[in-house]
């Protein structure tokens, strides 16, 4: 019997900053509204020549380098994204080649903002089964490519970035994955989606003219769902694993809105020193927020080897995920 542990982390964000002041010049909004309603001060935007795989490779390579692991020893790459380089082949294939992960298989995992939590759970299952020794999980999204910068209700929220964890097989008894609570609710499809570009509405002059290749969101509906379900899933994974809030060093939630994060933390009884919020720097980077927030917590000395960490997310779909890990780097 095997288990899983996290042995490497790497992140990447593009250098260009899109500030609230910049957005004030693009749409009818203002800094105070954005800060008070979302907590976001700025986001990163990839340059035109940069695609999701470029950021994913940078983050993945860093995670491997820091762990001192040869890419040729990877068994699989799980690429979590809703902004693949192309609809097919999978961005995982592009990343595999660029990393030189010569014996790895891989696939794209499309679960929007829950992508990274789902990817970690799949990686843990692959190594715990004994099938694999090393799986690289990458969350990367170039949201700026699918955001409508004339829609003030969405363009203020999102940014670009990438993060990766290297998951390794652990011997019995030394595992660091305590469990997960994950579910999807397809009734949420109407509340958050990108309508065109797939088989339902293939690209046409009409879909472009109607701006259907951009993210559409019923913000208030998603907000309510996120507070409820992120809280419920986080609570039940803790309970089922036999832990309580005070055992958890850090809650690292998906970063979509500071008010969602705070409402979940308040409901569950997490104190400010147990909560990681970095939305002010990056906005919502979809599959990348959880590794980016984890990296910031590590940099600030808030997460150390042996600490219990609870990841929680809600995303388009809806997708819901919460997972309990022990940090082992
Ligand atoms: C999008 C979001 C920030 C909007 O905040 P909100 O408090 O719900 O605001 P509302 O949608 O109720 O809009 C309130 C008013 O602000 C306006 N508004 C919306 N965006 C604005 C902006 N950027 N600047 C100024 N005003 C804005 C609206 O038009 C509305 O005006 P009205 O009352 O005259 O119609 C919030 O709903 C949210 O964060 N939702 C969840 C997002 C999310 O989690 N997405 C990803 C899922 S993983």
């Amino acid at each position: 019997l095997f288990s899983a542990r996290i042995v490497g982390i790497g992140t990447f964000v593009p250098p260009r900053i899109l500030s609230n002041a910049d957005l004030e010049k693009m749409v009818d909004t203002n800094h105070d509204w954005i800060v008070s309603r979302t907590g976001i001060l700025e986001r990163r935007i990839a340059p035109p020549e940069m695609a999701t795989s470029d950021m994913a490779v940078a983050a993945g390579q860093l995670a491997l380098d820091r762990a001192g692991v040869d890419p040729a020893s990877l068994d699989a790459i799980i690429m979590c994204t809703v902004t693949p380089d192309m609809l097919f082949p999978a961005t995982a294939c592009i990343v595999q080649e660029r990393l030189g992960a010569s014996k790895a298989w891989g696939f794209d995992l499309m679960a929007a903002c829950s992508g990274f939590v789902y990817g970690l759970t799949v990686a843990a299952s692959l190594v715990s089964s004994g099938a694999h020794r090393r799986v690289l999980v990458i969350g990367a999204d170039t949201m700026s490519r699918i955001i409508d910068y004339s829609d003030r209700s969405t363009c203020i929220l999102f940014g670009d970035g990438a993060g990766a964890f290297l998951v390794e097989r652990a011997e019995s008894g030394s595992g660091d994955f305590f469990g997960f609570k994950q579910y999807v609710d397809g009734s949420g499809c109407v509340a958050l989606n990108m309508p065109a570009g797939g088989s339902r509405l293939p690209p046409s002059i009409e879909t472009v003219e109607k701006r259907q290749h951009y993210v559409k969101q019923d913000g208030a509906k998603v907000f309510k769902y996120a507070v409820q379900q992120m809280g419920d899933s986080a609570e039940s994974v803790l309970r089922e694993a036999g832990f309580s809030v005070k055992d958890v060093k850090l809650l690292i939630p998906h970063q979509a809105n500071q008010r969602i994060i705070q409402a979940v933390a308040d409901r569950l009884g997490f104190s400010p020193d147990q909560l990681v919020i970095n939305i002010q720097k990056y906005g919502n980077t979809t599959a990348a927020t959880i590794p980016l927030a984890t990296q910031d917590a590590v940099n600030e000395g808030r997460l150390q080897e042996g600490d219990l960490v609870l990841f929680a997310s809600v995303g388009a779909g809806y997708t819901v995920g919460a997972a309990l890990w022990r940090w082992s780097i």
Side-chain angles (χ1 to χ4, degrees), residues 29 33 37 113 152 217 219-220 222 254 256-257 259-260 284 314:
T29 190
W33 191 95
R37 305 311 290 160
C113 301
R152 70 175 181 174
Q217 173 168 248
V222 176
H254 170 58
N257 186 315
R259 290 183 298 132
I260 295 177
N284 182 352
V314 163

Side-chain angles (χ1 to χ4, degrees), residues 26-37:
M26 297 158 69
V27 288
D28 179 17
T29 190
N30 63 80
H31 175 75
D32 293 341
W33 191 95
I34 298 173
V35 175
S36 66
R37 305 311 290 160

